């Protein structure tokens, strides 16, 4: 019997999106590097420990849209451009139909 609120058969969203989170992290790294920022600089501007941003960039921490907007703002990058680049990267990584 499956528990209504999760259980042994429950798969976390983070697990389901592991590949996508890695790609998001790669997109953020490229955007940060193009903007000329070090990870520690962006984290400091956000008032966060560098490990927080590191986890986002290596795909081990989820990112919500508000955080994405804040990261883009401190890097002086258009958040919509990050999303467009992510969309392209996700499409490129998805298996092609046979």
């Amino acid at each position: 019997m499956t528990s209504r609120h999760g259980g042994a058969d429950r798969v976390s969203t983070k697990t389901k999106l592991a590949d996508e989170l890695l790609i998001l992290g790669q997109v953020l790294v490229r955007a940060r590097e193009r903007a000329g920022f070090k990870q520690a600089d962006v984290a400091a501007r956000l008032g966060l420990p560098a490990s927080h941003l590191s986890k986002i960039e290596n795909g081990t921490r989820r990112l919500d849209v508000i955080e994405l907007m804040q990261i883009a703002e401190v890097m002086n990058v258009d958040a919509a451009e990050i999303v467009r680049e992510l969309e392209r990267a996700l499409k490129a990584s998805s298996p092609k139909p046979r």
Side-chain angles (χ1 to χ4, degrees):
M1 180 174 206
T2 305
S3 169
R4 178 176 171 184
H5 300 289
D9 61 337
R10 183 172 173 243
V11 178
S12 74
T13 303
K14 188 167 97 173
T15 300
K16 288 181 199 175
L17 297 176
D19 292 338
E20 290 86 350
L21 290 173
L22 285 172
I23 293 169
L24 172 59
Q26 293 165 357
V27 167
L28 287 171
V29 168
R30 286 193 298 268
R32 177 177 53 74
E33 289 175 346
R34 278 193 307 266
F37 287 98
K38 292 182 181 179
Q39 194 177 72
D41 298 332
V42 174
R45 286 178 166 215
L46 291 167
L48 299 170
S51 63
H52 184 89
L53 190 57
S54 175
K55 289 175 184 177
I56 292 169
E57 289 185 355
N58 70 33
T60 59
R61 186 181 182 288
R62 291 186 62 188
L63 177 69
D64 69 32
V65 69
I66 302 301
E67 290 173 312
L68 174 62
M69 291 170 58
Q70 291 169 340
I71 291 169
E73 183 178 339
V74 302
M75 295 189 310
N76 301 314
V77 174
D78 181 15
E81 182 51 41
I82 292 173
V83 172
R84 285 189 290 273
E85 185 176 342
L86 174 61
E87 185 176 34
R88 289 188 296 269
L90 289 171
K91 285 180 182 178
S93 74
S94 64
K96 306 293 183 248
R98 295 181 187 221

